[in-house]
Amino acid sequence: MAKLSPALKQATPVVVDHALGSWIYGTDGIGYLDFTTGIGVTSTGHCHPKVVEAAREQVGKIIHAQYTTVMHTPLLELTEKLGEVLPAGLDSVFYANSGSEAVEAAIRLARMATGRPNIVVFQGGFHGRTVAAASLTTAGTKFSAGFSPLMSGVHMAPFPYAYRYGLDETAAVEFALRELDYLFKTRTAPNDTAALLIEPALGDGGYLPTPPTFMEGLRERADQYGIKLIFDEVQAGVGRTGKFWGHQHSTATPDILITAKGIASGFPISAIGASTETMSKAWPGSQGGTYGGNAVAAAAGVATLDVVEKEGLVENARARGEQLQAGLKSVQERFPVIGDVRGLGLMQGIEFTAANGNPDADTAAAVQQETTRQQLLTLTCGPAGNVVRLIPALVVTEDEITLGVERFEAAVAAVVAAVAVGTS
Ligand code: PMP
């Protein structure tokens, strides 16, 4: 008898029966408030009726209209819709299935377009699990240990993680930009550097918004040296941070933008956007794949972007995100185990810190487990695993946020009480 591989780790014991909006209903008959959204994927909530309808309709027309063989209308419509939201000048789109594949497509394009070999990533960044994407990932050695050699040509610069360095944001940004300039002098000459790759907010690396001045500093250097600036918007994009794209909290714009997760509410589709000029530097056929730009996923993507626009979900993410952060900050006041609360929109991280200032992964893990018992689904993140992250659906209501904060507080209280009586 076969069973699931132990290499697959599951954050909760929940077996899902069905789900709707912000709620997952287990086969145990319990309704869980879902603040994980499948790691920031079900942007319009679970099974949004418009997304369900679009997918159902498309399944009856054609499921797999293989895009290097024939073209299909959902992909053309999705491209048109993405064109309305992509930064000016990024008028050419390529599709794949997952975030990792899109990341690989982006670096392949950057290398082809510049003729240069190296990619600079920033410490704590997460860009995926395929071998090339894992080579670009520094959100934790667990993502790259044990299967070396990794892809070569990847160099890492510090991320301005102000809380960790004990600096204010301005000093952290100055430090990180100085170190990037030093990297250009010591390890990867600008002329050898194809791309700078960064998330507008670190996701798996700890839910840390990237300071706008850092993004702008990267743009300046990319312009100065002819390096492609790639924004990995896989987790931060499609309204998640309270702006359509996470990078829109700064004035910097990318040469290549990577999107996935939230664009199709759970259907596997990803994309990269770049200028036609940049895309044209790659030879026709250099990108492709059997399943990329699937018709059902593309139809769900069109419906998702429609719902995001018509239901004002970007604005909802901003408003509900402010409510969530205010609620979490008030929980922090009552529990000194919480060292930091931060985030943008509906992408909020709670960092647990021990009395000696070290990351407190045990408490974070215990709180994450306890939230499930409180019928709230959450995840952890961060290289040390000491950050609990909350990623509600963009359709989340005021009452659901209030309930989520109450349940989160109850979980923290239960863990702190258990430690106090020595039962943990
Ligand atoms: N980039 C970022 C920023 C991500 O958050 C993720 C997934 N967590 C990926 C890339 C990889 O996406 P996928 O798991 O779909 O390959």
Side-chain angles (χ1 to χ4, degrees):
M1 198 183 87
K3 48 185 175 20
L4 285 167
S5 163
L8 193 65
K9 203 169 150 234
Q10 203 179 311
T12 76
V14 175
V15 179
V16 178
D17 180 66
H18 65 283
L20 191 63
S22 293
W23 295 85
I24 278 185
Y25 300 91
T27 49
D28 52 10
I30 295 174
Y32 296 90
L33 182 56
D34 179 20
F35 277 13
T36 69
T37 46
I39 326 186
V41 170
T42 51
S43 47
T44 57
H46 290 286
C47 299
H48 190 290
K50 295 239 166 71
V51 176
V52 170
E53 190 189 309
R56 276 207 176 114
E57 200 188 315
Q58 186 56 43
V59 166
K61 285 184 174 170
I62 183 165
I63 298 169
H64 180 54
Q66 206 282 324
Y67 72 163
T68 60
T69 310
V70 293
M71 190 34 64
H72 55 85
T73 47
L75 205 61
L76 297 174
E77 279 173 39
L78 182 58
T79 306
E80 202 175 306
K81 278 219 143 299
L82 270 175
E84 288 165 19
V85 287
L86 280 169
L90 273 57
D91 56 356
S92 183
V93 185
F94 167 75
Y95 293 93
N97 304 286
S98 65
S100 302
E101 278 178 278
V103 165
E104 297 217 5
I107 57 160
R108 188 154 51 227
L109 176 63
R111 282 174 165 175
M112 284 182 159
T114 58
R116 302 173 182 178
N118 292 343
I119 314 288
V120 174
V121 296
F122 297 89
Q123 192 166 28
F126 185 92
H127 301 290
R129 285 179 177 272
T130 55
V131 175
S135 308
L136 300 158
T137 290
T138 53
T141 46
K142 68 179 174 192
F143 300 114
S144 57
F147 58 88
S148 284
L150 301 174
M151 180 180 73
S152 60
V154 180
H155 301 286
M156 187 186 73
F159 180 89
Y161 190 166
Y163 177 73
R164 177 167 172 271
Y165 290 127
L167 298 173
D168 64 30
E169 186 174 297
T170 309
V173 168
E174 276 171 17
F175 161 73
L177 287 175
R178 217 168 35 236
E179 287 303 306
L180 174 61
D181 290 334
Y182 195 53
L183 191 77
F184 286 139
K185 295 262 184 274
T186 54
R187 185 76 258 183
T188 174
N191 278 343
D192 276 338
T193 307
L196 306 176
L197 170 64
I198 189 148
E199 292 167 88
L202 292 193
D204 293 61
Y207 269 38
L208 283 159
T210 307
T213 48
F214 189 64
M215 302 279 275
E216 289 149 16
L218 298 186
R219 181 69 269 171
E220 277 168 30
R221 285 155 181 81
D223 286 341
Q224 186 182 352
Y225 300 127
I227 297 171
K228 299 294 178 199
L229 183 57
I230 308 177
F231 289 163
D232 180 344
E233 292 267 8
V234 168
Q235 194 156 163
V238 195
R240 169 82 23 223
T241 68
K243 303 261 188 199
F244 192 92
W245 300 114
H247 75 262
Q248 289 169 331
H249 294 276
S250 77
T251 59
T253 53
D255 298 303
I256 304 172
L257 182 146
I258 308 167
T259 180
K261 292 195 190 266
I263 48 167
S265 301
F267 285 86
I269 187 166
S270 60
I272 61 168
S275 68
T276 304
E277 193 199 343
T278 299
M279 286 277 194
S280 305
K281 301 244 166 71
W283 43 270
S286 60
Q287 311 266 19
T290 302
Y291 294 107
N294 172 268
V296 182
V302 173
T304 297
L305 294 183
D306 215 41
V307 168
V308 168
E309 186 190 337
K310 298 225 169 79
E311 296 187 11
L313 297 190
V314 180
E315 171 51 24
N316 193 57
R318 191 197 57 73
R320 299 284 68 83
E322 277 176 13
Q323 181 196 353
L324 177 58
Q325 189 172 80
L328 293 171
K329 286 205 184 243
S330 103
V331 177
Q332 181 187 16
E333 279 167 23
R334 289 184 284 282
F335 294 97
V337 281
I338 299 178
D340 194 27
V341 169
R342 75 245 165 174
L344 293 168
L346 293 171
M347 191 173 177
Q348 296 289 331
I350 305 103
E351 177 155 357
F352 288 84
T353 306
N356 64 4
N358 285 340
D360 186 353
D362 291 346
T363 301
V367 168
Q368 188 274 334
Q369 290 294 302
E370 180 61 29
T371 60
T372 307
R373 285 189 280 277
Q374 303 289 338
Q375 298 171 20
L376 170 71
L377 301 185
T378 64
L379 293 170
T380 56
C381 65
N386 68 319
V387 179
V388 173
R389 54 174 151 170
L390 304 182
I391 335 169
L394 308 189
V395 292
V396 72
T397 65
E398 190 174 345
D399 287 349
E400 286 166 346
I401 292 286
T402 303
L403 185 63
V405 172
E406 276 168 23
R407 290 181 177 183
F408 179 76
E409 174 154 15
V412 178
V415 168
V416 169
V419 170
V421 296
T423 55
S424 175

